[in-house]
Amino acid sequence: MAAFGVETPEMGRKRRHRQRCAAGSLGEQRTHAMLQPLLLEGWHILPDRGLPGTRANIDHLLVAPDGQVFTLDSKLWSGRWRVRLVEGRLMHGAWDYDRQVDTALWETGRVSQALGVPVTPLVVVHNAPVDGAGFHVRGVAVFPADRLVELLRRNTGQPRPGEARELAACAAERLPSYVQ
């Protein structure tokens, strides 16, 4: 059918999947570029980490200079609709995206288990406006990408470079680079 310019339902699903993957990759690249100044401040940035025993990956794992660990899930969502909290659920326009919160919590739990430390999940939204300049839903911070570096800097304490370095090395070993 494609030869006649007609898209079958299966072809449409595959095309939309490719588009979502491309958008996800672009969002991750934008987040990575935003994080670069933190390297000079003692942060450890581990992009695209695999979760052993699964096909899942973490877009970015960060170890702050004080040893705190964060997971970042980058989202490149349409700017036509607001990201908001409705009756405790994450919404993008009229669409329920609460499953993204479940995924962030599950992935963060796996990272915490692997490293033996608490981990804070963050959802970083590119393009789409976020109500209230950000909010929390079930313990996951959801905020616009332009606030990322500011929020990370504000939420760290007294630097402990040795501890941060050891934790980053442990994370690099236990959460290897993701390979599809």
Side-chain angles (χ1 to χ4, degrees):
M1 292 294 249
F4 298 106
V6 177
E7 183 176 80
T8 66
E10 179 64 18
M11 291 166 56
R13 279 190 292 279
K14 287 180 179 180
R15 178 183 48 77
R16 288 187 298 278
H17 177 73
R18 284 190 308 274
Q19 289 170 335
R20 283 191 306 273
C21 288
S25 178
L26 181 57
E28 289 174 36
Q29 290 169 20
R30 287 182 181 177
T31 297
H32 191 73
M34 297 173 94
L35 294 170
Q36 294 312 294
L38 295 176
L39 289 170
L40 300 173
E41 300 169 21
W43 287 77
H44 300 269
I45 302 168
L46 292 87
D48 209 16
R49 308 315 288 188
L51 293 174
T54 74
R55 293 181 6 185
N57 73 304
I58 301 294
D59 293 346
H60 287 89
L61 183 113
L62 305 179
V63 179
D66 67 355
Q68 287 186 75
V69 179
F70 300 89
T71 57
L72 271 63
D73 191 5
S74 298
K75 300 298 178 190
L76 181 64
W77 289 343
S78 172
R80 287 184 275 180
W81 302 286
R82 296 193 69 73
V83 176
R84 56 204 174 94
L85 194 57
V86 177
E87 296 178 6
R89 299 187 69 80
L90 179 64
M91 303 291 288
H92 181 220
W95 295 273
D96 188 323
Y97 276 49
D98 207 59
R99 187 167 182 197
Q100 303 296 324
V101 176
D102 295 335
T103 300
L105 289 168
W106 179 81
E107 290 173 349
T108 299
R110 295 293 299 252
V111 171
S112 180
Q113 185 179 31
L115 301 180
V117 298
V119 178
T120 302
L122 308 173
V123 173
V124 181
V125 180
H126 294 269
N127 289 356
V130 178
D131 275 359
F135 52 83
H136 284 83
V137 55
R138 297 194 328 267
V140 177
V142 178
F143 55 90
D146 64 356
R147 295 197 60 217
L148 173 61
V149 172
E150 163 210 347
L151 291 173
L152 289 169
R153 285 176 174 149
R154 275 197 348 215
N155 285 286
T156 58
Q158 183 66 33
R160 296 191 307 260
E163 182 179 323
R165 199 171 25 260
E166 286 179 26
L167 195 48
C170 178
E173 179 183 319
R174 295 182 185 175
L175 304 164
S177 292
Y178 182 71
V179 179
Q180 288 185 324

